[in-house]
Amino acid sequence: MAKTAKPAAADSEQIVLSIDIGGSHVKILTSAGGKERRADSGPGLTPQQMIAAVKTLTEGLPYDVVAMGYPGPVTHNRPMIDPANLGKGWAGYDFAAAFGKPVKVVNDALMQAIGSYEGGRMLFLGLGTGLGAAMIVDNVAQPMELAHLPYKKGGSFEDYVGERGLEKRGKKKWRKYVFDIVDRLRAAMQPDYVVIGGGNVDKLDELPADSRRGDNTRAFEGGFRLWRDKALIV
């Protein structure tokens, strides 16, 4: 059914609260502007603790809807499994009920990918604690579970380019593996361009061909687009 112009205008006026859940911090920003606010995260963080922290961070900040980037697979706006680097109780958690507002939850790499997207076929890779991945093709956004694909000596991509791989093998070898894995994924996915984000992208002095540097703050923009970009299919 075709939408009328009036509801679309009403949607565009909604204030979106964008939440980026990470292993070290929970970060928030609203589409009304202002500065990023953050609270400490950690391996024991439960969804209830996260919501309590966000409600404290948002004191005095109006918002109508919520977008959330979650460090793990998501289906129907709920986490499928508990994350490796946080506490328990996330799988199946009903965030809309907890916030009392409409909530859209996507994988955290996908949220940053959406915020980085500039059309065409884009492959996003997030270099952080693990390896996040997403693909967007002509506005159709899809999270990708590429981190655990087999690589060398029985290890996975994530074993070589995640945080543990960096610490174990050193920056020089880690960079070599990043370039190799990006080349392999580019050959398989055939993107027009690759965006490399995540906290460890700053450790790359150079980037692979047809790649550009991402920025973790683009996750907030991705959250806003989840609600505002009518062309986006997630």
Side-chain angles (χ1 to χ4, degrees):
M1 182 180 295
K3 293 182 179 179
T4 62
K6 191 171 183 180
D11 286 348
S12 68
E13 293 165 2
Q14 289 179 326
I15 298 176
V16 183
L17 170 64
S18 201
I19 304 171
D20 186 14
I21 303 168
S24 56
H25 294 96
V26 175
K27 297 173 283 188
I28 69 159
L29 186 70
T30 78
S31 57
K35 292 185 178 181
E36 170 189 317
R37 300 182 182 187
R38 61 173 58 193
D40 289 338
S41 178
L45 187 75
T46 65
Q48 295 88 348
Q49 291 170 339
M50 183 278 294
I51 288 165
V54 169
K55 288 184 175 180
T56 298
L57 291 173
T58 55
E59 287 178 0
L61 291 179
Y63 60 95
D64 303 301
V65 295
V66 179
M68 185 182 306
Y70 172 77
V74 174
T75 184
H76 304 305
N77 287 320
R78 297 189 186 188
M80 293 174 61
I81 59 174
D82 288 340
N85 58 345
L86 299 176
K88 303 297 183 183
W90 296 83
Y93 193 83
D94 188 345
F95 294 100
F99 279 106
K101 295 180 184 290
V103 177
K104 292 185 179 182
V105 186
V106 296
N107 171 264
D108 57 349
L110 182 61
M111 195 161 89
Q112 189 175 153
I114 291 168
S116 306
Y117 183 59
E118 294 180 355
R121 297 174 59 91
M122 182 195 76
L123 173 63
F124 174 87
L125 298 172
L127 300 174
T129 305
L131 174 65
M135 188 90 182
I136 305 180
V137 179
D138 297 334
N139 289 307
V140 179
Q142 179 66 42
M144 309 289 285
E145 290 296 323
L146 304 177
H148 302 295
L149 290 176
Y151 187 44
K152 294 178 180 289
K153 299 179 181 177
S156 66
F157 286 165
E158 184 170 277
D159 291 333
Y160 281 79
V161 298
E163 188 71 39
R164 289 192 303 273
L166 174 60
E167 292 173 355
K168 180 178 179 180
R169 298 178 180 87
K171 193 182 294 185
K172 185 176 180 179
K173 286 185 177 179
W174 175 82
R175 287 172 173 166
K176 183 184 76 170
Y177 291 128
V178 169
F179 270 64
D180 183 50
I181 287 171
V182 170
D183 285 345
R184 289 169 184 247
L185 292 175
R186 185 190 296 108
M189 305 294 184
Q190 295 292 299
D192 298 324
Y193 58 103
V194 180
V195 175
I196 303 176
N200 284 335
V201 69
D202 292 341
K203 295 181 173 65
L204 293 174
D205 292 336
E206 299 177 359
L207 295 179
D210 301 318
S211 299
R212 64 178 173 83
R213 201 174 296 271
D215 185 333
N216 281 353
T217 61
R218 301 302 298 175
F220 295 128
E221 176 63 25
F224 305 153
R225 288 184 183 180
L226 277 173
W227 284 100
R228 293 184 164 186
D229 188 344
K230 301 305 177 186
L232 185 69
I233 300 171
V234 180

